Amino acid sequence: MAKYFELTSLSDDGFSLKHLIQELNSLGCEVFSTKNEYKIVELLTRVYRNRKFLTDYLIAQIHHTKMFKSGNPYTAQVFMLHTGAKYSIRASIWEPANKSNDEMFFYDVPHDHNFTFYTLGYYGSGYKTKIAQYHTSSPFKSGDKVELVNEQIVQLKEGKVMLYEKGKDVHSQIPPDELSISINIADTAQMLDDQYYFDFSSNRVTGYFPKESDILKKLQADFLVA
């Protein structure tokens, strides 16, 4: 079930990307263990405190233009900050509604994920997201009936953290009122086989899309070759 955390302690110095990676690596295989939930929220608090966290990364990448966005399997608004066997870190840019970009931003498309991830509202008012949960075991096929429960709408405001659970949470992003940025820490070690599209009104599965695990394996291979 999705969880929503308020950042309360903002007195510590901010983290750089390098420092965040070091801290996550120190957790070994337990980055996404329930016992470390508040540790991850604390780390993302430190990320939020560093208002140059993303610009420092982008400036460094611009100085290495051949590697900039190299091997990124996602759409143009996503920046892969780190990719590893246990977790990945990425930043996503979210723009207000525009017919020319809605497909790129995947707005108003209910879907689940085959990985657990934390997401931080780093900048801007943030998108709203309609969330529900299912408890039916996958795999599914199009047309399957799935009971979606605990439906609610929450907003990923600046300085807030959400935890989405793989194979349980279905959500649909609603465009923000202003340009916004989120920072994700995603589990790349424990992925389910498929991700699915859903319809909230009928509680049915409407389709599926390619395994993100396959995408990330290709991305990791590209980095190893480079």
Side-chain angles (χ1 to χ4, degrees), residues 38-170:
Y38 285 96
K39 174 66 174 179
I40 301 301
V41 173
E42 177 189 345
L43 296 180
L44 288 172
T45 298
R46 303 287 290 273
V47 168
Y48 179 73
R49 284 288 295 166
N50 181 2
R51 305 313 293 159
K52 299 195 301 177
F53 179 84
L54 186 56
T55 54
D56 285 347
Y57 166 82
L58 294 176
I59 289 170
Q61 288 292 299
I62 288 170
H63 285 299
H64 299 84
T65 53
K66 290 185 179 180
M67 291 299 297
F68 184 63
K69 300 284 279 186
S70 174
N72 186 353
Y74 302 105
T75 49
Q77 90 282 7
V78 177
F79 297 88
M80 292 302 300
L81 309 185
H82 174 78
T83 303
K86 299 172 184 175
Y87 65 89
S88 64
I89 304 171
R90 64 189 181 189
S92 298
I93 311 296
W94 305 95
E95 293 184 4
N98 183 320
K99 289 184 179 179
S100 66
N101 67 13
D102 282 359
E103 183 176 349
M104 178 176 71
F105 288 96
F106 215 54
Y107 291 142
D108 300 316
V109 179
H111 60 283
D112 67 357
H113 287 274
N114 63 357
F115 56 92
T116 293
F117 69 100
Y118 292 86
T119 184
L120 162 72
Y122 181 73
Y123 176 83
S125 58
Y127 61 75
K128 292 180 181 178
T129 185
K130 184 176 182 178
I131 304 177
Q133 291 82 43
Y134 65 86
H135 303 287
T136 308
S137 297
S138 60
F140 302 123
K141 61 181 183 297
S142 293
D144 281 353
K145 187 81 172 180
V146 178
E147 184 181 10
L148 300 175
V149 299
N150 301 323
E151 187 176 305
Q152 60 180 314
I153 295 178
V154 298
Q155 187 168 3
L156 187 66
K157 297 180 180 179
E158 188 175 305
K160 314 302 179 187
V161 174
M162 290 192 68
L163 169 62
Y164 293 93
E165 290 191 76
K166 63 181 181 182
K168 294 181 180 180
D169 294 316
V170 176

